[in-house]
Amino acid sequence: MAGMFRRIVGKMFPSRQAPARATTQAAHVREKQYGGKTKDMARAFGVTERTVQRWIKGTRTPKGEDAKKLETAAAAAQVTDKGRERRAKQMEKEPAGTVRVRVDRAGSFDIKGSNGVRNRTVELDLKPEQAAALARATDENDVRGVIGDALADYFNGGPYGGFRSGDFDFDPNGVDLS
């Protein structure tokens, strides 16, 4: 799931790409989010200090949930709160549709309580406040909420109606910012 957040941050902040290698990710996260304190990072990740040290040295690579959590943290560490807020304020001044999100419907998302919507790619033109919320996002759940709101707006504008953000369960690999 971390891939969606990383792609969104990469598109919203093109000069702030997260490192691809786990060793660099771990070093950046430790320095930027934990002030260089291995103990604090280890506690947050639920691993030992030695494990974090091995990630940074490259003698061990995080797996599974640790790898996803590290990738998300590395993407988030590339942008400061001040930078997110500045970009969000810019997005609030842009016209609707300046930011477009593409969600691949073919196997990518399900609508709770409905199987009557045919498979297709949905192009979502975000409202300025939705684009700003995307710029302020700090993790996958924030991004999911913004995209869920945009999907609800999209489907509520058609013959369906009554949808809320939580009615959509989508595959993060089927989401991209264009």
Side-chain angles (χ1 to χ4, degrees):
M1 189 164 25
M4 176 176 60
F5 178 70
R6 184 176 179 176
R7 283 192 314 270
I8 297 294
V9 168
K11 297 267 180 128
M12 294 294 283
F13 305 93
S15 66
R16 300 288 183 196
Q17 294 294 321
R21 296 183 63 202
T23 55
T24 311
Q25 288 175 350
H28 280 223
V29 169
R30 183 182 67 176
E31 293 307 313
K32 292 182 178 184
Q33 290 188 338
Y34 300 101
K37 296 178 181 165
T38 305
K39 185 177 186 176
D40 292 347
M41 181 174 169
R43 189 177 306 120
F45 277 77
V47 297
T48 66
E49 289 181 60
R50 185 75 184 124
T51 297
V52 171
Q53 292 167 346
R54 287 176 178 154
W55 290 349
I56 292 169
K57 282 178 118 178
T59 57
R60 188 167 176 193
T61 304
K63 304 281 186 229
E65 286 303 313
D66 288 336
K68 290 176 186 176
K69 189 173 180 180
L70 182 60
E71 184 178 322
T72 297
Q78 298 309 305
V79 184
T80 64
D81 291 341
K82 188 176 180 180
R84 273 189 199 78
E85 191 57 34
R86 183 177 12 196
R87 183 74 170 128
K89 288 183 185 218
Q90 289 172 343
M91 299 312 299
E92 288 172 337
K93 294 176 184 173
E94 296 290 328
T98 300
V99 176
R100 177 172 274 190
V101 175
R102 210 173 56 247
V103 182
D104 181 14
R105 169 72 167 102
S108 274
F109 73 87
D110 295 317
I111 301 172
K112 292 179 184 171
S114 173
N115 60 4
V117 180
R118 71 179 195 275
N119 287 347
R120 67 180 183 276
T121 297
V122 176
E123 300 273 340
L124 305 169
D125 290 330
L126 299 185
K127 297 175 185 174
E129 61 271 12
Q130 291 169 328
L134 205 53
R136 289 182 179 108
T138 58
D139 61 24
E140 290 283 329
N141 291 328
D142 292 346
V143 172
R144 260 187 191 283
V146 172
I147 293 172
D149 287 343
L151 282 167
D153 288 348
Y154 176 86
F155 284 107
N156 286 336
Y160 310 106
F163 290 106
R164 295 180 317 274
S165 178
D167 290 338
F168 303 94
D169 182 27
F170 50 89
D171 177 0
N173 295 319
V175 176
D176 200 9
L177 197 64
S178 51

